[in-house]
Amino acid sequence: MSTSSVTQAKSVRFGKVHVREFLRMLGPSVVPGDGGWPLGISFDLVNEGEAEVSVDSFESRKQERLRNRWRSQYPDSEPPLLLESRQWDYKQSSKNPIFRLIYEKERMSLLLEDTGTTCKGDRSQSSLSHDFEQKSSKNTLRTRSGSFSEQYNDIYTQVKVHHIRNELEQLRNSRSGEGSTGCTCRKLHVYLPPPNAGRKAAHRRTKPAKVKEELRKRHALPEGTVSREELERRLHDLVEEEPCCTSDCPCVRAGIVCQIDSCSCWMISHQMDKGKQFVRNPTTEQIQQRCGNRYGMTTIDCTEINQYRKKFVCA
């Protein structure tokens, strides 16, 4: 008696799609580029839609909606065969042209329309987006939307809207300041004039009071009468031996690690190695040593990542 076994190929299949639609609301964790009226999604269900639709049917309907969106913004051109429903196009690593930032007035109109409030004299979303894009391309600074007649209702009252706008403005101001994302620590630069430098290098030297203050902070101020040159040399050697991020670093004070993509304490322009030469391509160990944060520093090794990728790409 013989037995035979049948090996089935493994596969992944998608079933049905269930679509739900929800009302918009003032977004609690959204910071738009300008003004107020941040867009968010509430828990109030508007439409259950069809009970179940196939994936192919859902995707085809989505493409049709995206094509209509394209035609409304670009009436003189035909849409591509395949459109993305995300803000960034993963194939081209660029912004999706049919998803743009919109003005504060348009965000207000969308929220009020969901509650049954009509807004008179509203401009189309495409024209507002086009104006915003042109303004952004001419001026990289963040600009507030143009003045407009703001409207309110029982849900979006004036007090609530203005309170949220003030909170958003405070967030934007806090993010735009120096050191708002990561630390900007730099080592103290102590200039040591060469022999017979004369008065030409006098303006580059650290003031004697500053030198004594820094030595006192490091508990290294000698007693008695010591020459200015000796004090400068002592401070210079101490600074060279210590890390960049000390107790004055905001990351250290907060008890968190430094991040290579947000902190600038490790950059080559901020610190020289013991050989007095800049290291153009520092290793992970050198970067962490430059920073010196006692809680650590999160780094990435691009060379190792690329080598790991090549094993799979070449295969």
Side-chain angles (χ1 to χ4, degrees):
M1 183 177 180
S2 62
T3 60
S4 61
S5 60
V6 179
T7 303
Q8 296 181 352
K10 295 181 179 180
S11 62
V12 177
R13 296 180 180 180
F14 295 94
K16 302 292 183 178
V17 177
H18 190 79
V19 181
R20 288 193 178 104
E21 296 180 0
F22 296 87
L23 279 176
R24 295 185 182 93
M25 64 174 291
L26 288 172
S29 58
V30 182
V31 183
D34 68 315
W37 297 91
L39 295 178
I41 299 178
S42 71
F43 291 99
D44 297 331
L45 187 63
V46 177
N47 185 15
E48 280 278 358
E50 300 180 20
E52 287 184 345
V53 295
S54 64
V55 175
D56 294 335
S57 177
F58 173 77
E59 290 295 328
S60 62
R61 294 180 186 181
K62 182 179 71 175
Q63 287 297 316
E64 186 60 31
R65 291 195 301 268
L66 293 176
R67 292 190 189 96
N68 293 334
R69 186 184 184 96
W70 178 283
R71 295 187 184 99
S72 66
Q73 298 190 21
Y74 307 98
D76 298 331
S77 62
E78 286 296 323
L81 296 177
L82 183 62
L83 291 169
E84 284 289 328
S85 59
R86 64 189 76 188
Q87 187 174 0
W88 288 82
D89 188 347
Y90 72 97
K91 294 181 179 179
Q92 300 179 1
S93 298
S94 59
K95 286 187 177 180
N96 194 330
I98 60 176
F99 290 94
R100 300 175 177 175
L101 298 176
I102 59 176
Y103 268 137
E104 179 183 18
K105 180 180 180 180
E106 180 64 19
R107 298 195 296 269
M108 178 196 72
S109 300
L110 291 173
L111 289 169
L112 292 179
E113 286 173 2
D114 282 353
T115 59
T117 304
T118 58
C119 302
K120 298 180 180 180
D122 292 340
R123 297 164 61 188
S124 65
Q125 178 178 348
S126 59
S127 62
L128 290 171
S129 303
H130 182 67
D131 292 345
F132 187 91
E133 186 179 69
Q134 286 185 336
K135 180 179 288 188
S136 301
S137 62
K138 294 179 181 179
N139 187 5
T140 56
L141 297 177
R142 179 180 56 82
T143 57
R144 171 89 189 276
S145 297
S147 60
F148 62 95
S149 178
E150 201 165 40
Q151 302 182 32
Y152 315 98
N153 57 20
D154 295 337
I155 299 177
Y156 305 116
T157 62
Q158 182 178 4
V159 175
K160 184 176 182 179
V161 171
H162 284 196
H163 176 70
I164 292 178
R165 180 184 288 117
N166 292 335
E167 286 187 340
L168 293 174
E169 195 65 25
Q170 292 176 5
L171 281 172
R172 284 189 283 259
N173 291 334
S174 65
R175 292 178 178 181
S176 59
E178 183 180 0
S180 56
T181 55
C183 70
T184 57
C185 298
R186 288 175 172 82
K187 272 197 171 186
L188 178 66
H189 178 65
V190 183
Y191 175 72
L192 298 179
N196 303 323
R199 296 184 177 180
K200 293 183 178 180
H203 67 283
R204 301 181 59 185
R205 300 177 68 177
T206 307
K207 300 296 182 182
K210 178 69 173 177
V211 175
K212 292 181 180 179
E213 179 186 354
E214 293 295 333
L215 287 172
R216 191 177 294 110
K217 286 170 55 177
R218 294 165 174 79
H219 307 286
L221 182 63
E223 298 180 356
T225 303
V226 182
S227 65
R228 179 181 181 181
E229 289 75 13
E230 185 176 348
L231 293 177
E232 290 175 341
R233 169 60 64 180
R234 175 173 293 195
L235 179 59
H236 176 273
D237 294 342
L238 290 174
V239 171
E240 286 295 315
E241 293 176 358
E242 67 186 11
C244 182
C245 293
T246 57
S247 58
D248 295 332
C249 172
C251 296
V252 175
R253 290 201 304 266
I256 60 176
V257 301
C258 288
Q259 299 280 341
I260 190 173
D261 55 348
S262 58
C263 299
S264 59
C265 54
W266 61 275
M267 294 183 178
I268 58 176
S269 59
H270 294 179
Q271 180 178 340
M272 301 177 70
D273 62 8
K274 295 181 180 180
K276 309 299 181 183
Q277 297 293 328
F278 286 117
V279 180
R280 295 296 177 183
N281 297 310
T283 62
T284 301
E285 291 75 14
Q286 289 173 331
I287 291 174
Q288 293 174 342
Q289 185 178 6
R290 285 178 179 178
C291 169
N293 186 335
R294 62 172 178 262
Y295 297 103
M297 182 175 191
T298 302
T299 61
I300 58 173
D301 192 338
C302 296
T303 303
E304 184 176 353
I305 292 174
N306 291 332
Q307 291 177 351
Y308 183 78
R309 286 177 176 172
K310 287 180 180 179
K311 293 191 300 183
F312 300 94
V313 173
C314 295

